[in-house]
Amino acid sequence: MRIITYMKVAFFDTKEYDKKFFEPYSKEGLRFVFYDTGLSADTAELARGADCACVFVNDDVNAEVIEKLNTYGVKLLALRCAGYNNVDLAAARGKLPVVRVPAYSPYAVAEHAMAMLLCSVRRVHKAYNRTRDFNFSLNGLTGFVLHGKTAGIIGTGKIGSAFIDICRGFGMNVLAYDKYPKSDGIKYTDLEEITEKSDIISLHCPLTPETKHIINKRTINMMKKGVIIINTSRGELIDSEALLAGIKERKIGAACLDVYEEESDLFFEDNSGHILNDDVLARLISMPNVLVTSHQAFLTEEALEAIAATTVENIRAFFERGELLNEVTCRAKPQYEKTPAKSGQNGDN
Ligand code: NAD
């Protein structure tokens, strides 16, 4: 009987589309176990005996979880996403190396931002519902033209730059702010000018202590009446209560939200049979000028393929070659040597 070795990877918060794109890699030394449940202190035990835990944006990888994963023998945390604000990196330092997928399709997210903007300004969501009911009236569907309008982009990394290109294609003027500006033909300015002069503001910076509630009551007051706010980045960039107040006061013309600050208990799940406990989200969703999608901007064939390929390469590099590709924390003192795999029977992988 041939003895083979494999690395066991415990996937948390897994959806059907994750399985579809990861399963083809579940061979040649990798064994995947998919859990629907998210990772938290209560569920960390599921990773006992796994070499790697693989998580997504709303898994809560706090200090307690990291401690538990460490105790259970997990040697690598593989994020199958770009953002890592849900991981306590300070706690992970020296205990659990963390790797991520830094880019999987900036176009997917940038195109979704434009899809939401177009849907909102041309009232496509309203028209779709009406015509399904054979209501062909046009009252209340008057939109406006994007050509010549000013888009303010906060964060000009991979997604922000792709969105700028799209906006330019529509003949829009672009103002941009980035803490670390690049010199690539983008017209940079400060946050104040963006806030005051933009007809549309789109957020593409990461969530950090500095950017938390970068859109708040004060900045909303400074904005043009009728401004459209797009957030495909992270929910906590916007103070949701201030956003709701701005919409009620008719200051904000529309909000296109792919993310929401309290999304972790709601998004990615079917809650249609439940009473929504989040009054702010319920009120936002009830507004005719608010579009909400549940963190789906990335959700394209191209992005899912790239996420799976990079995640598997990150895992293989670590366990087979001792390399940390796409690391986001300091590496722990290695607890393993080459190929720290389990033994299994033939056909057990
Ligand atoms: P990126 O790292 O390429 O770009 C981020 C940019 O933000 C960088 O240019 C950086 O300099 C800038 N930045 C950092 N701190 C800033 C600050 N304080 N103020 C202004 N700018 C600042 O990242 P990306 O791939 O373009 O992704 C952007 C964000 O999009 C991610 O952080 C993630 O939260 C989000 N995202 C969302 C989805 C989705 O499905 N909705 C998918 C992928 C990424």
Side-chain angles (χ1 to χ4, degrees):
M1 185 177 292
R2 189 166 65 95
I3 301 295
I4 61 160
T5 59
Y6 59 82
M7 261 71 67
K8 183 175 168 188
V9 184
F11 282 73
F12 288 86
D13 200 11
T14 322
K15 303 288 180 270
E16 282 309 313
Y17 48 80
D18 294 311
K19 287 183 198 163
K20 177 181 161 193
F21 285 89
F22 274 96
E23 258 163 1
Y25 294 98
S26 185
K27 55 187 176 191
E28 297 162 15
L30 288 178
R31 180 179 168 202
F32 298 153
V33 184
F34 296 106
Y35 298 112
D36 294 346
T37 183
L39 178 60
S40 67
D42 293 336
T43 61
E45 174 127 26
L46 292 168
R48 190 186 282 276
D51 301 285
C52 171
C54 184
V55 301
F56 197 50
V57 293
N58 286 328
D59 289 295
D60 183 9
V61 196
N62 58 36
E64 187 185 355
V65 170
I66 287 164
E67 196 56 51
K68 287 189 172 189
L69 292 179
N70 202 246
T71 310
Y72 300 150
V74 173
K75 300 167 199 75
L76 181 70
L77 181 71
L79 306 178
R80 49 183 198 279
C81 53
Y84 44 86
N85 52 284
N86 54 328
V87 181
D88 186 336
L89 292 179
R93 178 187 281 258
K95 284 192 179 135
L96 187 64
V98 182
V99 291
R100 67 173 180 140
V101 184
Y104 37 86
S105 176
Y107 308 108
V109 182
E111 287 174 16
H112 190 79
M114 182 48 87
M116 293 189 90
L117 177 59
L118 281 173
C119 183
S120 175
V121 297
R122 302 309 302 268
R123 320 283 188 250
V124 177
H125 54 309
K126 297 269 150 205
Y128 176 78
N129 282 332
R130 277 190 197 181
T131 54
R132 286 176 69 79
D133 210 17
F134 308 130
N135 173 356
F136 302 112
S137 73
L138 295 182
N139 286 335
L141 298 186
T142 308
F144 66 80
V145 164
L146 291 178
H147 189 274
K149 297 291 186 302
T150 298
I153 312 300
I154 301 179
T156 59
K158 293 174 283 297
I159 296 170
S161 301
F163 189 64
I164 288 174
D165 286 345
I166 294 173
C167 288
R168 285 183 176 150
F170 275 77
M172 300 169 80
N173 307 313
V174 173
L175 294 175
Y177 169 74
D178 196 295
K179 192 176 176 188
Y180 309 101
K182 293 125 199 110
S183 52
D184 50 5
I186 294 173
K187 186 179 172 197
Y188 284 101
T189 182
D190 53 29
L191 266 180
E192 197 170 293
E193 190 179 359
I194 297 233
T195 309
E196 288 173 351
K197 294 197 175 157
S198 301
D199 300 296
I200 291 127
I201 295 177
S202 196
L203 300 175
H204 300 289
C205 56
L207 174 64
T208 64
E210 198 179 349
T211 59
K212 182 173 175 175
H213 289 181
I214 198 167
I215 304 285
N216 54 51
K217 189 173 177 208
R218 184 185 64 82
T219 55
I220 289 171
N221 281 339
M222 291 161 61
M223 291 176 193
K224 276 184 167 179
K225 186 170 164 53
V227 64
I228 296 182
I229 297 173
I230 308 169
N231 189 6
T232 55
S233 201
R234 284 293 181 266
E236 284 170 273
L237 296 177
I238 299 182
D239 177 343
S240 310
E241 294 198 12
L243 179 76
L244 180 58
I247 289 166
K248 282 183 178 167
E249 288 157 14
R250 278 70 172 166
K251 173 82 182 205
I252 294 170
C256 303
L257 309 175
D258 185 52
V259 287
Y260 173 66
E261 62 179 329
E262 302 295 336
E263 73 177 49
S264 59
D265 291 337
L266 293 168
F267 281 20
F268 306 122
E269 304 300 331
D270 179 359
N271 287 295
S272 57
H274 301 276
I275 308 273
L276 192 65
N277 284 326
D278 187 322
D279 288 354
V280 174
L281 180 61
R283 192 78 172 97
L284 282 171
I285 287 174
S286 77
M287 296 288 181
N289 52 353
V290 176
L291 275 185
V292 174
T293 52
S294 44
H295 210 136
Q296 76 172 69
F298 74 100
L299 196 65
T300 57
E301 297 271 331
E302 292 81 356
L304 290 168
E305 252 170 46
I307 286 170
T310 305
T311 303
V312 168
E313 180 51 25
N314 287 345
I315 294 169
R316 282 198 183 287
F318 181 72
F319 288 103
E320 293 174 3
R321 306 193 296 277
E323 284 173 29
L324 275 166
L325 299 181
N326 302 313
E327 186 188 11
V328 285
T329 188
C330 288
R331 183 180 180 178
K333 194 170 184 295
Q335 303 168 352
Y336 68 95
E337 294 304 328
K338 202 171 181 311
T339 317
K342 299 177 184 324
S343 290
Q345 300 292 304
N346 194 11
D348 193 28
N349 58 339

